Amino acid sequence: SSFKGAIVKALFVVGSAILVTICLRNSLTWHLARIWGGCREYLWQNIWDKLLDRTGEDPYTLYVYGTFILTNVTFWGVGSIYTYMDLTLAARQYKIQPGANDPIDMDKFRNLVK
């Protein structure tokens, strides 16, 4: 049935995403441990301790400013990728909206960035 097929596809996608996330985490941990030295088991704890040494342990600072910084870095990082793809027309063939394949008006883009 189509429901069973949808479940299988969803499990495949979720499972693949989990596997890729685990592989990226392990690779990042290995590379950071080689760069900074130290034991892999304590690498993330050491990074957190260094962040706390630099910023302090004030919960307000960590929660408010940390959340602000993390949210903005994520927003602008992902947005920059899509903006680059629009500016270079890298994904033109995948756009299906009417008028979406037209290049961006650079004057409007510069005005938006200001």
Side-chain angles (χ1 to χ4, degrees):
S1 77
S2 63
F3 180 72
K4 184 179 176 184
I7 294 294
V8 169
K9 288 178 185 177
L11 288 175
F12 176 76
V13 169
V14 170
S16 299
I18 290 171
L19 181 65
V20 167
T21 303
I22 291 170
C23 291
L24 287 174
R25 181 185 175 275
N26 287 341
S27 296
L28 181 64
T29 302
W30 184 80
H31 285 294
L32 290 177
R34 287 200 55 191
I35 292 170
W36 288 337
C39 186
R40 285 184 62 194
E41 289 81 26
Y42 303 109
L43 176 69
W44 296 110
Q45 183 64 45
N46 289 338
I47 293 172
W48 179 250
D49 290 340
K50 287 180 183 180
L51 177 72
L52 288 180
D53 289 342
R54 189 170 292 247
T55 62
E57 294 190 25
D58 179 31
Y60 180 82
T61 302
L62 288 174
Y63 298 148
V64 174
Y65 295 116
T67 303
F68 175 77
I69 290 169
L70 183 64
T71 303
N72 276 294
V73 166
T74 304
F75 176 81
W76 288 106
V78 173
S80 298
I81 294 169
Y82 286 119
T83 303
Y84 173 77
M85 289 172 55
D86 274 343
L87 290 175
T88 60
L89 305 174
R92 175 184 287 207
Q93 64 190 8
Y94 301 109
K95 292 185 170 186
I96 59 172
Q97 297 91 351
N101 291 335
D102 301 336
I104 296 175
D105 183 14
M106 290 306 288
D107 292 331
K108 287 183 180 179
F109 178 72
R110 284 188 196 101
N111 191 23
L112 173 71
V113 172
K114 289 182 185 178

